[in-house]
Amino acid sequence: MSVHPVSKLPNLEQSIFSKMSALAVKHNAINLSQGFPDFDVDPELIRAMQESLLGPYNQYAPMGGIYSLREAIAEKTERCHGQTYHPEKEITLTAGATQAIYTAIASTVYPGDEVVIFKPAYDCYEPSVLAQGGIPILLQLSGPDFSIDWNAFRKVLNPKTRLVILNTPHNPSGTILKDADLRQLEEILRPTNTLVLSDEVYEHLVFDGGTHQSVSKYPGLKERSFVCASFGKTFHITGWKMGYCMAPEVLMNEFRKIHEFVVFSVSHPAQRALAQYMQKPSRYEGLSDFFQQKRDLFLEGIRDSRFEFTPAEGTYFQLLNFSKISPLGDLEFAQELLLDKGVASIPISVFNLNRQDHQQLRFCFAKKTDTLKRACEILSGI
């Protein structure tokens, strides 16, 4: 007799990131699809990790993370956003931001609870909600600037709305939420018990003099919010799977009840290395300039192409519209671009409500100069 378990996620498809990256490897294409750098990590961080591995740090770390790293995170948050979180009670180290996001959802969402998700959205949000028996309420971002329709948001808000998921700087659009957006959300949620999960993994990648508006900066949001962040995105170490979550003590207590039995604790030597590395704020404060140079290099390289674009405001992703090049849908064009031209990208329709197709592809510019120049040469010739 064979056993056939009932799937909690019966309609879950293979991730578009896994699919496109696998094709890129198979066909030796330039991989501008998945969001990981192809350049080296700062040797100082590698050196710190090597020292940690040789030290007495190869057993379990404390469940919430080592205090020195939580303290460094608290200092960074106060420095960048003017807000304080208690290192012991309100900050937890996680196995990447994805685990932080899942744990925040698992600790707060009950069967039948509604969770508002703005589309296009990173693909881990909905499965995490569905796995808890929650109901995703999907709202499409509006227009070429991917703005939130706050009137539409007000209409879906009700006593069943347990959680709102934000992402700024936004993947995949490269846009950022503005001060007016966060103030409006703060005002709308003031009379409710609705919580907020803010995915801020690209917090240090904001361009053209813009400012990252963390929910932690708004008292009415901070008191009800989980803020999730990523060392992998910040320090080019996605393979280390290191992230963290910040939240008021009452929320963090619930978060840790799930965290303890999902991973208990995360890499002890990596935490030691990061705590040492973060002692110099310049190591994260200079990232916007570093990645803006890469964005500008990429856009200058395709300036004479037939692709249309609005420069990304943040993240290390750039959307390109190909409507003047081909009548194909984005899935078909992305596959053609990979197989025939040797450049891998991500079609945006997979993240949109009802798979809306606006003939847009997402390209990652967190790559070596040579990688970007080779890709630009190909894209300009299409």
Side-chain angles (χ1 to χ4, degrees):
M1 177 180 175
S2 59
V3 177
H4 298 282
V6 178
S7 174
K8 296 184 76 173
L9 299 169
N11 300 315
L12 187 66
E13 300 177 356
Q14 181 189 15
S15 163
I16 189 66
F17 304 108
S18 299
K19 187 180 299 184
M20 297 306 288
S21 284
L23 284 172
V25 171
K26 181 179 179 180
H27 297 280
N28 197 30
I30 299 172
N31 190 359
L32 303 189
S33 59
Q34 198 164 0
F36 61 85
D38 70 345
F39 45 82
D40 293 334
V41 178
D42 185 345
E44 289 300 317
L45 180 53
I46 298 299
R47 187 175 295 111
M49 182 61 149
Q50 290 171 333
E51 291 174 358
S52 296
L53 288 168
L54 293 172
Y57 306 123
N58 291 296
Q59 307 309 322
Y60 293 123
M63 188 262 286
I66 63 171
Y67 190 84
S68 59
L69 181 53
R70 286 188 276 175
E71 189 174 44
I73 293 167
E75 291 171 355
K76 178 178 77 74
T77 303
E78 185 168 13
R79 183 184 184 92
C80 293
H81 308 310
Q83 297 297 319
T84 58
Y85 285 87
H86 193 287
E88 182 63 35
K89 300 176 181 178
E90 299 183 319
I91 299 174
T92 298
L93 276 298
T94 61
T98 300
Q99 187 242 311
I101 290 165
Y102 179 86
T103 301
I105 292 170
S107 65
T108 56
V109 175
Y110 294 79
D113 284 347
E114 295 182 359
V115 178
V116 177
I117 299 173
F118 297 100
K119 304 282 281 183
Y122 186 58
D123 62 355
C124 81
Y125 304 154
E126 287 176 62
S128 300
V129 171
L130 291 168
Q132 314 311 316
I135 303 170
I137 304 299
L138 309 178
L139 293 179
Q140 183 70 26
L141 296 174
S142 304
D145 60 348
F146 294 88
S147 60
I148 294 176
D149 183 337
W150 292 111
N151 288 326
F153 175 71
R154 285 187 177 90
K155 290 178 181 178
V156 302
L157 200 63
N158 68 83
K160 291 183 179 180
T161 309
R162 180 66 169 171
L163 186 67
V164 178
I165 300 179
L166 300 179
N167 176 208
T168 185
H170 184 258
N171 177 18
S173 74
T175 58
I176 59 176
L177 289 177
K178 310 302 191 293
D179 175 71
D181 291 304
L182 277 300
R183 291 190 184 281
Q184 193 156 183
L185 178 62
E186 183 180 41
E187 185 61 31
I188 293 170
L189 294 184
R190 197 178 304 280
T192 76
N193 291 318
T194 299
L195 303 175
V196 174
L197 168 55
S198 188
D199 177 353
E200 301 183 16
V201 301
Y202 300 103
E203 61 178 322
H204 297 296
L205 280 62
V206 178
F207 311 134
D208 303 316
T211 302
H212 169 57
Q213 302 296 343
S214 172
V215 299
S216 66
K217 296 166 66 173
Y218 302 83
L221 295 178
K222 181 185 177 186
E223 66 182 7
R224 65 176 76 231
S225 294
F226 297 93
V227 178
C228 299
S230 167
F231 289 116
K233 301 297 187 185
T234 299
F235 294 133
H236 331 311
I237 49 170
T238 59
W240 290 23
K241 291 301 293 180
M242 292 295 296
Y244 60 91
C245 181
M246 304 186 299
E249 182 178 3
V250 65
L251 295 180
M252 187 54 68
N253 286 341
E254 298 306 311
F255 181 96
R256 288 181 179 173
K257 291 175 184 177
I258 302 296
H259 173 79
E260 181 173 8
F261 298 105
V262 171
V263 295
F264 179 72
S265 64
V266 299
S267 172
H268 194 169
Q271 290 186 56
R272 295 285 170 181
L274 286 164
Q276 178 182 329
Y277 188 72
M278 288 180 66
Q279 297 308 306
K280 293 184 178 180
S282 60
R283 288 169 169 161
Y284 52 82
E285 290 179 337
L287 287 171
S288 288
D289 290 341
F290 175 77
F291 279 106
Q292 182 169 333
Q293 290 173 11
K294 290 188 174 294
R295 183 205 65 176
D296 292 348
L297 173 71
F298 179 64
L299 294 182
E300 179 62 24
I302 61 167
R303 180 168 53 86
D304 297 326
S305 74
R306 292 188 290 166
F307 288 98
E308 295 181 309
F309 57 83
T310 299
E313 296 177 302
T315 74
Y316 44 53
F317 303 114
Q318 176 64 52
L319 295 191
L320 300 184
N321 184 294
F322 62 88
S323 58
K324 289 188 176 180
I325 299 174
S326 172
L328 293 175
D330 62 1
L331 280 164
E332 293 80 7
F333 188 74
Q335 186 166 13
E336 181 179 285
L337 183 63
L338 192 157
L339 298 178
D340 296 346
K341 303 297 183 180
V343 178
S345 61
I346 295 291
I348 298 303
S349 66
V350 298
F351 306 116
N352 281 333
L353 182 62
N354 299 323
R355 298 294 180 100
Q356 292 179 28
D357 190 338
H358 302 292
Q359 294 186 290
Q360 293 175 311
L361 301 179
R362 192 201 76 171
F363 295 81
C364 175
F365 54 81
K367 305 295 176 182
K368 297 175 183 175
T369 296
D370 177 65
T371 305
L372 293 175
K373 286 183 175 179
R374 288 190 293 116
C376 288
E377 184 178 352
I378 295 170
L379 295 174
S380 294
I382 297 174

